[in-house]
Amino acid sequence: QVQLVESGGGVVQPGRSLRLSCAASGFSFNKYAMHWVRQAPGKGLEWVAVVSFDGSDKYYADSVKGRFSISRDNSENRSYLQMNSLRGEDTAVYYCTRGVIITLSPEIDFWGQGALVTVSS
Amino acid sequence: SALTQPASVSGSPGQSLTISCTGTSGDIGASNFISWFQHYPGRAPRLIIYDVTARPSGVSFRFSGSKSGYTASLTISALQAEDEAVYYCTSYSTSNSVVFGGGTKLTVL
């Protein structure tokens, strides 16, 4: 069965960096775009970034553009979210999610359990 | 910018109910890539509608989607207590991104 397992969350000071990792299994990883979606405490869902099935295309929400970087390793079945210059408003549960072959389609059918990132001094 | 959804809606068991999702010419108006998610607290969101009207395998026929102009809609028929959750719409955006609505809390009376 499809599984997405995030790791790398934790508490980090403002301005510092953190990298989230997502281990995927149970499907042909190299055939799907992978998204990161977050949910701040008490808030709704917010799309963060997507990487195409082959890693050639990457797109970001304006709120993280220039600070976050998404990538993937199809040989390891892993997706990554490098988060730099973190701010308090980046505090959220970050979900690794599976898209479809069309990179910017919001057809997101599987979600990980989420990784909590807390940005605080 | 986020898509606009009502913050809350409510209905009685057996009724039909529609949740609206309003966007712009740059997202809903330009896209047939529109999805809806059902989210229970403490659980991962669940895809219930994609490509405006399509239902994933296993999703009840009571859920249906539509679009007119800049507004997408989710209709839930024969409302059940288990439908009480937060519902999010989302769309492709011509700014090369994906945008979510703010979420609608559905209460079954």
Side-chain angles (χ1 to χ4, degrees):
Chain A
Q1 71 280 21
V2 173
Q3 280 199 308
L4 300 169
V5 180
E6 302 94 340
S7 60
V11 181
V12 61
Q13 293 179 328
R16 304 298 291 265
S17 298
L18 204 63
R19 187 175 86 152
L20 299 180
S21 177
C22 172
S25 60
F27 64 101
S28 298
F29 183 72
N30 60 2
K31 290 182 172 19
Y32 294 85
M34 296 297 293
H35 302 253
W36 288 89
V37 177
R38 69 184 180 183
Q39 185 172 31
K43 304 291 187 183
L45 299 174
E46 180 188 15
W47 178 79
V48 174
V50 64
V51 58
S52 61
F53 69 98
D54 62 356
S56 63
D57 294 318
K58 302 170 185 181
Y59 302 101
Y60 301 91
D62 286 345
S63 58
V64 306
K65 204 172 290 184
R67 299 187 300 122
F68 289 15
S69 177
I70 191 171
S71 61
R72 65 189 297 156
D73 183 339
N74 283 351
S75 67
E76 296 285 333
N77 288 357
R78 284 186 174 270
S79 173
Y80 301 97
L81 186 68
Q82 177 68 42
M83 304 182 291
N84 300 330
S85 303
L86 282 161
R87 307 166 179 167
E89 55 263 38
D90 296 319
T91 295
V93 173
Y94 285 74
Y95 293 99
C96 170
T97 72
R98 187 182 85 167
V100 293
I101 193 72
I102 301 170
T103 304
L104 283 167
S105 164
E107 185 184 339
I108 294 171
D109 60 356
F110 283 96
W111 299 62
Q113 83 285 357
L116 177 60
V117 173
T118 302
V119 183
S120 173
S121 54
Chain B
S1 300
L3 306 175
T4 300
Q5 299 180 234
S8 63
V9 295
S10 62
S12 299
Q15 287 185 326
S16 288
L17 184 150
T18 297
I19 299 172
S20 63
C21 171
T22 302
T24 68
S25 59
D27 37 65
I28 290 181
S31 175
N32 284 326
F33 292 138
I34 296 167
S35 298
W36 288 88
F37 297 91
Q38 178 188 58
H39 192 196
Y40 295 110
R43 294 171 61 177
R46 175 195 182 201
L47 179 70
I48 56 173
I49 296 288
Y50 67 96
D51 292 351
V52 182
T53 61
R55 269 191 312 276
S57 173
V59 173
S60 172
F61 67 92
R62 298 186 299 105
F63 294 94
S64 61
S66 63
K67 183 188 108 166
S68 177
Y70 299 165
T71 299
S73 299
L74 172 72
T75 298
I76 308 172
S77 60
L79 206 59
Q80 299 178 0
E82 68 200 46
D83 299 331
E84 187 162 296
V86 180
Y87 292 84
Y88 294 91
C89 61
T90 183
S91 170
Y92 158 78
S93 168
T94 55
S95 62
N96 283 334
S97 64
V98 172
V99 288
F100 273 86
T104 298
K105 179 174 172 53
L106 167 61
T107 300
V108 180
L109 302 172

